Amino acid sequence: MSRVRVLLADDEHLIRGALAALLGLEDDLEVVAEAASGPEALAMARAHRPDVAVLDLEMPGADGVTVATKLRAELPSCRTMIVTSHGRPGHLKRALSAGVRGFVPKTVSAQRLAEIIRSVHAGNRYVDPELAADAISAGDSPLTVREAEVLGFAADGAPVAEIAERAALSQGTVRNYLSSAAAKLGAENRHTAVRLARERGWV
Amino acid sequence: MSRVRVLLADDEHLIRGALAALLGLEDDLEVVAEAASGPEALAMARAHRPDVAVLDLEMPGADGVTVATKLRAELPSCRTMIVTSHGRPGHLKRALSAGVRGFVPKTVSAQRLAEIIRSVHAGNRYVDPELAADAISAGDSPLTVREAEVLGFAADGAPVAEIAERAALSQGTVRNYLSSAAAKLGAENRHTAVRLARERGWV
DNA sequence: CACCGGCCATGACAAATGTCAGGAGAGGAC
DNA sequence: GTCCTCTCCTGACATTTGTCATGGCCGGTG
């Protein structure tokens, strides 16, 4: 029986290395490649064609979901899964619609992760129950595409003029969008709106 | 020769477990206790009296620096070190003044971490060069105590009225403090000021 | 003591932001 | 075709901020 070929992508060397060592102990798993950034993960995947790609959500260059999306197009045979410390509901949704088949927080044990990798490789899907519950209770984003976009530009505290420029919209329009977005989120100003949207993973 | 007794505290089971396994392979190190939260780390330290405590910076209950401070008082023989993913300059400063003897990002390898643990146990201090450079170039916080406090209350996007209430100050005073803080940080409004102060670990 | 800096406040003005009403075009649903 | 929603805009208004000048009260330094 051939072993499951795994790609490991995480910018924290400590975790990646440790994980590689632990997963390597399982005799049906084999870590064939490691990467510390999004682009590197893609390159490694192309070179080594793993069966399962275990991707960290927050990485320099490109986040896990972006990598997963590209992998799905380039290497359809490769199953992808996301591992993350901060499980925002929106991220989970985004990940699932990108074709990700596993979504786990870093609070699970290596043993458990190994099991999940096997399960994903077998064609199953796995989502951490806790995160799933959060996602369901948080519901869908009530924001329209533009509202979310404008809110994203407002995320770093930029003034309206700058947001308008970046979004190529008039200042009035920007203010209207921000206002309606804040209203939908129950926030009293755009800054708390940004915070709320962030927490739910809607930006 | 007796082995170095290590306490490992990190809320991410994946990392903690993997790390425990890897460090356990070194024949002069021995992981005698693990914890997933600040309070638990303290309890474990009291029970097992480790030589070195390796603490994650962001943990539920109490952060790594807080735990280190308490450990220093309760268990002076125990050296403490901090491991973190986000190395904000301010955190480093806070950690050092709490008596922490090692400060490393999670991007180092387990091998390297083992060496550093040994070095710290031997009485040396170790700070990641990259983080040290950041801390030096970032310099000290230019903010006065009140400015930092008010900026902290402003962190979640609350309006001035609310900040004033929480800080028990007049609205005018709050605006003055926010204004001067933003000026010192080179920000054009308090929200970007909050972001900058956060990045530098000054809030 | 005189001086300076941090702390707290007031008042007033300018600028940024939030809110509302209203309208036009584009596209999907029925 | 009609209805609806999203998109984008304008203009006007109220409110919230940011900024500045000014002053009083401390505590420490020279």
Side-chain angles (χ1 to χ4, degrees):
Chain A
M1 182 192 95
S2 74
R3 297 193 288 181
V4 180
R5 297 160 50 77
V6 176
L7 162 70
L8 224 49
D10 194 314
D11 58 326
E12 295 176 349
H13 195 299
L14 207 49
I15 299 165
R16 201 175 68 244
L19 219 50
L22 282 204
L23 292 181
L25 293 182
E26 309 282 323
D27 35 310
D28 56 341
L29 299 182
E30 181 183 9
V31 178
V32 294
E34 295 183 30
S37 74
E40 199 184 336
L42 276 173
M44 285 306 206
R46 286 189 199 106
H48 297 278
R49 312 192 138 261
D51 299 318
V52 178
V54 177
L55 308 168
D56 187 18
L57 190 51
E58 38 267 341
M59 280 188 294
D63 74 2
V65 177
T66 310
V67 174
T69 308
K70 293 192 179 161
L71 273 185
R72 187 167 181 67
E74 288 190 36
L75 221 67
S77 70
C78 173
R79 319 273 198 194
T80 54
M81 45 186 297
I82 299 278
V83 176
T84 179
S85 2
H86 321 288
R88 312 292 171 80
H91 292 156
L92 172 52
K93 203 155 297 186
R94 225 163 39 97
L96 289 182
S97 60
V100 165
R101 308 189 67 87
F103 201 95
V104 236
K106 283 185 181 169
T107 47
V108 304
S109 69
Q111 227 74 35
R112 193 87 194 77
L113 182 65
E115 288 170 28
I116 296 167
I117 291 177
R118 280 184 206 108
S119 171
V120 163
H121 178 246
N124 300 316
R125 297 214 278 178
Y126 179 87
V127 171
D128 180 76
E130 192 92 20
L131 295 179
D134 281 354
I136 291 165
S137 70
D140 266 327
S141 170
L143 305 176
T144 67
V145 178
R146 276 290 129 60
E147 283 167 353
E149 185 189 335
V150 171
L151 209 53
F153 284 130
D156 57 355
V160 173
E162 200 179 315
I163 301 172
E165 201 183 348
R166 283 199 263 177
L169 290 175
S170 87
Q171 299 199 11
T173 307
V174 168
R175 288 195 285 172
N176 285 337
Y177 281 166
L178 288 175
S179 184
S180 70
K184 284 178 181 175
L185 296 175
E188 41 193 337
N189 61 48
R190 62 209 172 97
H191 303 288
T192 60
V194 165
R195 194 169 50 78
L196 290 174
R198 272 243 186 78
E199 285 172 11
R200 293 164 168 68
W202 291 340
V203 289
Chain B
M1 182 191 93
S2 74
R3 297 193 288 181
V4 181
R5 297 160 50 77
V6 176
L7 161 70
L8 224 50
D10 194 315
D11 58 326
E12 296 176 348
H13 195 297
L14 206 49
I15 299 165
R16 202 175 68 243
L19 219 50
L22 283 202
L23 292 181
L25 293 181
E26 309 282 323
D27 36 309
D28 56 342
L29 300 183
E30 182 183 7
V31 178
V32 295
E34 294 183 31
S37 74
E40 198 184 337
L42 276 173
M44 285 306 205
R46 285 191 201 105
H48 297 278
R49 313 191 138 261
D51 299 318
V52 179
V54 178
L55 308 168
D56 187 18
L57 190 51
E58 39 268 341
M59 279 189 295
D63 74 2
V65 177
T66 310
V67 173
T69 307
K70 293 192 178 159
L71 273 184
R72 187 166 181 67
E74 287 189 36
L75 221 66
S77 70
C78 174
R79 319 273 197 194
T80 55
M81 46 185 299
I82 299 279
V83 176
T84 178
S85 4
H86 320 288
R88 313 290 172 80
H91 292 156
L92 172 52
K93 204 153 297 183
R94 224 162 40 95
L96 288 182
S97 60
V100 165
R101 307 189 68 87
F103 200 95
V104 242
K106 283 185 181 170
T107 47
V108 304
S109 70
Q111 227 75 35
R112 192 88 195 76
L113 182 66
E115 287 170 29
I116 296 167
I117 291 177
R118 280 185 206 107
S119 172
V120 163
H121 179 244
N124 300 314
R125 296 214 277 180
Y126 179 87
V127 171
D128 181 75
E130 192 92 20
L131 294 179
D134 281 355
I136 290 165
S137 70
D140 266 328
S141 171
L143 305 176
T144 67
V145 178
R146 275 289 128 61
E147 283 167 354
E149 184 189 335
V150 171
L151 209 53
F153 283 131
D156 58 354
V160 173
E162 199 179 316
I163 301 172
E165 201 183 349
R166 284 199 263 178
L169 291 175
S170 87
Q171 300 199 10
T173 306
V174 168
R175 287 194 289 177
N176 286 338
Y177 280 166
L178 289 175
S179 184
S180 70
K184 285 177 181 175
L185 297 175
E188 42 192 337
N189 61 49
R190 62 210 172 95
H191 302 288
T192 60
V194 165
R195 194 170 50 79
L196 289 174
R198 273 243 184 78
E199 284 172 11
R200 293 163 167 67
W202 291 341
V203 287

